[in-house]
Amino acid sequence: MEEELYQEKTRVSPTATIILIAINVIVFLYTDLFLLSPATFIANGASGYYPVLHDHEYYRMVTSMFLHADLDHIFNNMLVLGVLGYYIEENMGHLRFLMLYFCSGLLAGCTSIVYNMLQMDLTTSIGASGAIFGLMGGIVFMVWHQHRNHRELDLRRLAFMVFLSLYGGFTSQGVDNAAHVGGFLSGILVTALLYLTLNRKGRNTT
């Protein structure tokens, strides 16, 4: 009973999700419509092992999460972000949602960098999909860990959705699959840690 009441009290409006979508859209419109050479801007913000590790341009780990290649790229990412972000933020709150999103995105970027470094691949990456796959991992853990509080979601369907998303990446060209896998696994790990802190807080205050 205490756990259900706590879940009810933490349901909030998806303000952070809306803000993230707005920032992504504004950055896309700025680079795509108002810059004379958007490719140069994107190249200077994309993430890759050589510019990050060799040139120490660590800011790329964050800027790359807000850059998108074309309209289809940003539309698909923002659509999924809106759906997943709405549910997760409503249940976890603004701060924990943002922690999940950015930690997953950064760890996805690290996974991509390590993988490309081992492959000696100078490819750079952009997009929010690493963080979005982290949200997928977060929802999978939430449903597995507290199924009675998320009865409207089915774990098997979620797993199938993740499988289709990963499969689509592996069968497409120009997709950073290392970031997708790293983001998904990071989302599970980060959400598990967030739930661990919630449980400890609950034991200390009841």
Side-chain angles (χ1 to χ4, degrees):
M1 178 62 69
E2 291 175 354
E3 190 173 18
E4 291 179 355
L5 290 174
Y6 183 81
Q7 289 290 328
E8 185 66 29
K9 288 190 294 184
T10 58
R11 290 182 182 274
V12 295
S13 60
T15 307
T17 299
I18 295 172
I19 292 174
L20 284 174
I21 292 175
I23 293 174
N24 276 280
V25 171
I26 290 171
V27 170
F28 175 76
L29 292 176
Y30 177 74
T31 58
D32 194 60
L33 298 179
F34 300 111
L35 286 183
L36 295 177
S37 56
T40 301
F41 183 87
I42 290 176
N44 289 330
S47 178
Y49 91 85
Y50 192 85
V52 171
L53 298 181
H54 183 270
D55 298 332
H56 307 293
E57 296 175 348
Y58 303 112
Y59 67 88
R60 291 174 177 264
M61 299 287 293
V62 176
T63 57
S64 62
M65 296 169 59
F66 293 93
L67 296 172
H68 292 84
D70 52 40
L71 186 60
D72 286 340
H73 190 200
I74 189 170
F75 177 79
N76 292 332
N77 275 350
M78 294 304 101
L79 179 63
V80 180
L81 172 57
V83 173
L84 299 181
Y86 179 88
Y87 186 85
I88 293 176
E89 187 176 359
E90 184 185 46
N91 283 272
M92 295 180 64
H94 308 305
L95 180 59
R96 294 184 182 89
F97 163 74
L98 289 173
M99 290 175 63
L100 171 60
Y101 184 85
F102 281 103
C103 287
S104 297
L106 292 173
L107 290 172
C110 291
T111 305
S112 175
I113 286 175
V114 171
Y115 177 81
N116 288 329
M117 182 175 63
L118 295 175
Q119 298 293 317
M120 296 301 292
D121 188 349
L122 297 177
T123 299
T124 56
S125 301
I126 57 173
S129 56
I132 291 171
F133 267 88
L135 298 183
M136 290 185 189
I139 283 188
V140 168
F141 180 86
M142 288 166 61
V143 175
W144 172 81
H145 185 256
Q146 290 185 323
H147 181 67
R148 67 180 181 276
N149 292 326
H150 308 281
R151 292 189 179 93
E152 66 272 30
L153 299 179
D154 182 81
L155 185 59
R156 288 173 295 182
R157 291 181 180 179
L158 285 174
F160 185 65
M161 180 190 72
V162 173
F163 169 77
L164 288 181
S165 299
L166 291 173
Y167 178 78
F170 280 107
T171 55
S172 303
Q173 296 291 328
V175 177
D176 191 346
N177 292 299
H180 289 181
V181 174
F184 176 71
L185 296 177
S186 298
I188 294 176
L189 175 62
V190 172
T191 307
L193 292 175
L194 289 174
Y195 267 84
L196 179 63
T197 59
L198 281 174
N199 290 337
R200 286 181 176 176
K201 180 179 178 181
R203 285 197 297 267
N204 291 333
T205 56
T206 55

